[in-house]
Amino acid sequence: RYGRQGERNEPIEMFVPESAKFDLSFFIKNGLNNVKVNTSEYTFTADPVVRTDTAQIVRMRLPVAEGAALEYRYVVYDEATPSRDYLVDYTVRLVGMAPYMANQSSIGIAWSNTSYRNERGFKNENMYTTISYRFPGESSIEDLGMSEKSKSKSISTSVNWVAFKQQFFSSAFIAPQNVTNANLAFDTAAPGSELLKSFSAQMTVPYTVQTEGYDFAFYFGPNKYSILKKIGEPGGADIYLERLVPLGWGIFGWVNRWCVIPVFDFLRNYIGSFGIIIFILVLLVKLVISPLTYKSYVSMAKMRLVKPQIDELAKKYPKPEDAMKKQQATMELYKKAGINPMGGCIPMLIQMPILIAMFRFFPASIELREQPFLWADDLSSYDSIVNLPFSIPFYGDHVSLFALLMAVSLFGYSYFNYQQTASSQPQMAGMKFMMVYMMPIMMLFWFNSYSSGLCYYYLLSNIFTIGQTLVIRRIVDDEKIHAVMQANAARKSKGKKSKFQQRYEELMRQQEAQQRAKRK
């Protein structure tokens, strides 16, 4: 198992030993006929292990003819550097075999194994278990996606590496000179089984009579970003193996790579409890966006103060054909009062990439694997305080306390937020059921089998947001805000209209004229 602070204290079986297969296939001459050789059907002769200060070298030979043999050379590193410690160099040499090789343009590679279930919750682990691969020259990777049954894909172009990816561990076959094509497939075991998926990869590498051998490598280790990031080709080129950690696409991946992971790794150097690290992470995020949260509250307070005037405009323009006039008058009122209608949404828009980044980070973070906090014994998986004798559709057969508390906190935050916005934004009244009641219930069902660390993060985030708003409410004086709004309105009413405002008003007049023409 992968233990605390990145140390390994117990071995983990990534796949069933008997299922592991690696086969090279090629044709040799035999009189007028060619004979196909599948190396998995033969027994190699192993030389004594050669030990150096930094590695163990194993050489294995398969005689093909007098003076001709297929030679495998494995280098297993003992270096303290994790990027080498999990890497196995694998070299294939065709020693004196050119005269005996049949006319062929490629050599086949067949690689397969069956993975064990190593995490709690079949559905969640299966979601992150698939076959991933990279095309040469690409900084992104591809995969076969998730399936509870079978999936396969044929690739007719070059591939740089193929990985049998599990939630927290991967077996990767790396070909610096690339394979020319690949047929990838997996079968998923039944949920009650101790197994998870059976992987297979059929590949080919080019062959000519001048070919003396191939240089490959295997990676057997954790899906840890900082380790995978350092694994590259012999010449130093990046092979982007770190993309096996699903941090999200676009801005969500950037937030995780450049913000969350560096902060998380820094805090781990000084704090042993991951529960406290998550607490500090939430606190830092809330402090960073606190100025925007303050502006959001002030914006909602302004909206609340001008609501009587908005109601008067609704009475002044009751007819549907006056909608443009009402909208124009409303925008004019907002402008004079210094109100940004989107001001209340800005903090949520800023937080959304962070919340989604955390949604991707916690279930994929091997650092949280088997890390306990309070009643949870594994922050990377769900915490179960009650195991049900039956399974509830979309919910599961257990009760996660962190998910339950997160849903309760979301209800409290949604109810509190609704009270803040409903009085100033009448359109929010129709969304009360969805916001206050339906959303927490949906989140409870969704997150009951998800990472308890993620539920804990969202729980703290909701509590901190409510606390921030209560503190700001005590600081902000509505009377002072009203006085500032009146001063802004008086100053702007004396000033000239900007060119943008003039164009906007002209556009509104044109639209109103078009509507009158349509009615006629």
Side-chain angles (χ1 to χ4, degrees):
R1 300 180 186 274
Y2 199 76
R4 186 178 180 274
Q5 296 296 332
E7 296 176 358
R8 298 167 296 172
N9 50 24
E10 293 181 25
I12 182 171
E13 288 190 271
M14 296 172 58
F15 48 81
V16 181
E18 295 78 12
S19 71
K21 176 183 176 182
F22 190 87
D23 176 68
L24 292 185
S25 60
F26 51 88
F27 290 89
I28 61 173
K29 299 174 183 177
N30 184 20
L32 298 176
N33 299 316
N34 295 330
V35 177
K36 185 176 183 181
V37 175
N38 291 95
T39 58
S40 60
E41 299 175 357
Y42 295 87
T43 300
F44 284 66
T45 301
D47 294 342
V49 177
V50 177
R51 302 179 185 274
T52 68
D53 293 338
T54 59
Q56 300 181 54
I57 303 171
V58 180
R59 182 177 282 104
M60 305 173 68
R61 295 171 62 85
L62 176 64
V64 176
E66 185 68 29
L70 181 68
E71 183 178 283
Y72 289 172
R73 182 174 179 268
Y74 299 93
V75 181
V76 182
Y77 293 91
D78 293 329
E79 295 182 29
T81 306
S83 59
R84 297 300 312 180
D85 198 24
Y86 296 108
L87 207 62
V88 177
D89 284 347
Y90 168 53
T91 304
V92 177
R93 287 291 173 262
L94 306 175
V95 180
M97 288 185 58
Y100 303 96
M101 294 288 285
N103 185 23
Q104 55 200 303
S105 60
S106 63
I107 290 179
I109 299 175
W111 179 40
S112 61
N113 65 48
T114 300
S115 64
Y116 284 113
R117 281 185 57 190
N118 286 309
E119 315 304 329
R120 177 188 296 170
F122 174 87
K123 185 176 181 180
N124 193 54
E125 185 177 4
N126 182 57
M127 184 185 305
Y128 294 94
T129 303
T130 186
I131 298 181
S132 299
Y133 54 96
R134 173 185 177 250
F135 292 121
E138 296 291 333
S139 59
S140 59
I141 68 173
E142 309 292 332
D143 61 56
L144 267 60
M146 186 198 78
S147 174
E148 294 185 1
K149 295 182 180 179
S150 303
K151 266 196 171 183
S152 61
K153 186 170 185 178
S154 295
I155 303 167
S156 58
T157 57
S158 298
V159 173
N160 183 227
W161 55 256
V162 173
F164 297 162
K165 176 185 172 299
Q166 302 174 34
Q167 184 174 2
F168 292 122
F169 301 91
S170 287
S171 307
F173 173 73
I174 304 168
Q177 283 77 44
N178 306 323
V179 297
T180 50
N181 57 67
N183 293 318
L184 311 175
F186 66 70
D187 291 317
T188 306
S193 171
E194 293 183 354
L195 308 177
L196 189 60
K197 275 186 166 62
S198 295
F199 301 106
S200 67
Q202 307 287 333
M203 302 166 282
T204 60
V205 288
Y207 172 79
T208 66
V209 292
Q210 288 80 30
T211 301
E212 296 181 353
Y214 306 91
D215 295 324
F216 303 122
F218 285 100
Y219 174 85
F220 299 104
N223 297 336
K224 186 176 180 182
Y225 187 88
S226 59
I227 293 176
L228 295 170
K229 177 69 176 175
K230 295 177 181 178
I231 296 176
E233 294 179 349
D238 195 346
I239 61 173
Y240 299 96
L241 206 62
E242 71 275 8
R243 296 301 172 94
L244 287 171
V245 184
L247 300 178
W249 53 271
I251 189 173
F252 312 122
W254 299 339
V255 170
N256 275 325
R257 278 188 283 274
W258 304 112
C259 298
V260 178
I261 290 178
V263 172
F264 202 81
D265 288 344
F266 173 79
L267 293 175
R268 285 182 59 229
N269 293 327
Y270 304 98
I271 302 172
S273 171
F274 282 82
I276 296 176
I277 291 175
I278 294 173
F279 179 90
I280 295 174
L281 202 59
V282 177
L283 181 61
L284 290 174
V285 170
K286 293 302 178 182
L287 288 175
V288 169
I289 66 171
S290 57
L292 294 173
T293 304
Y294 176 82
K295 290 183 179 181
S296 171
Y297 182 87
V298 171
S299 179
M300 288 190 292
K302 290 180 178 181
M303 296 279 285
R304 187 170 62 251
L305 292 171
V306 299
K307 187 176 182 299
Q309 295 167 269
I310 297 294
D311 293 340
E312 288 297 323
L313 291 176
K315 294 177 182 179
K316 184 177 179 181
Y317 302 107
K319 298 178 181 180
E321 55 267 26
D322 294 331
M324 288 290 183
K325 290 182 179 180
K326 184 173 71 172
Q327 178 69 15
Q328 185 176 2
T330 302
M331 296 304 295
E332 180 66 20
L333 176 62
Y334 284 163
K335 186 175 185 300
K336 288 182 178 179
I339 296 174
N340 179 3
M342 294 296 293
C345 303
I346 291 176
M348 181 56 69
L349 294 176
I350 296 296
Q351 286 188 82
M352 191 58 66
I354 299 174
L355 293 175
I356 296 177
M358 295 300 181
F359 177 80
R360 299 304 301 265
F361 172 75
F362 281 103
S365 176
I366 193 172
E367 290 85 353
L368 296 179
R369 187 176 186 269
E370 296 191 347
Q371 295 300 318
F373 182 68
L374 298 178
W375 58 86
D377 57 5
D378 185 351
L379 287 173
S380 70
S381 184
Y382 61 82
D383 58 301
S384 177
I385 58 169
V386 176
N387 292 318
L388 304 174
F390 51 85
S391 181
I392 301 174
F394 305 106
Y395 182 74
D397 58 359
H398 63 275
V399 176
S400 168
L401 183 55
F402 269 127
L404 184 61
L405 293 175
M406 182 270 295
V408 171
S409 71
L410 181 59
F411 169 80
Y413 167 72
S414 300
Y415 184 77
F416 182 77
N417 190 53
Y418 175 80
Q419 287 183 318
Q420 294 290 308
T421 57
S423 59
S424 59
Q425 301 180 35
Q427 68 271 19
M428 296 296 293
M431 301 177 64
K432 181 178 181 180
F433 176 76
M434 175 58 77
M435 287 181 56
V436 179
Y437 300 105
M438 192 64 187
M439 186 59 70
I441 294 174
M442 291 172 60
M443 294 291 280
L444 175 62
F445 274 70
W446 190 8
F447 281 82
N448 189 60
S449 296
Y450 231 70
S451 163
S452 55
L454 179 64
C455 295
Y456 172 56
Y457 179 91
Y458 284 169
L459 166 65
L460 292 179
S461 181
N462 292 332
I463 293 174
F464 274 44
T465 301
I466 294 173
Q468 272 186 319
T469 307
L470 290 174
V471 170
I472 293 172
R473 177 190 282 183
R474 293 184 65 87
I475 296 174
V476 173
D477 188 338
D478 283 6
E479 293 184 1
K480 290 183 179 180
I481 292 177
H482 200 193
V484 172
M485 290 168 60
Q486 289 177 330
N488 287 338
R491 185 177 67 254
K492 291 179 180 179
S493 62
K494 296 178 182 179
K496 293 183 180 180
K497 295 181 180 180
S498 66
K499 292 184 178 180
F500 173 79
Q501 187 177 2
Q502 292 174 9
R503 289 196 298 269
Y504 177 77
E505 292 179 354
E506 178 61 28
L507 178 62
M508 296 294 285
R509 282 193 293 270
Q510 292 176 3
Q511 291 180 344
E512 187 177 352
Q514 291 175 358
Q515 288 187 351
R516 284 198 301 267
K518 288 180 180 179
R519 288 195 296 270
K520 291 180 180 179

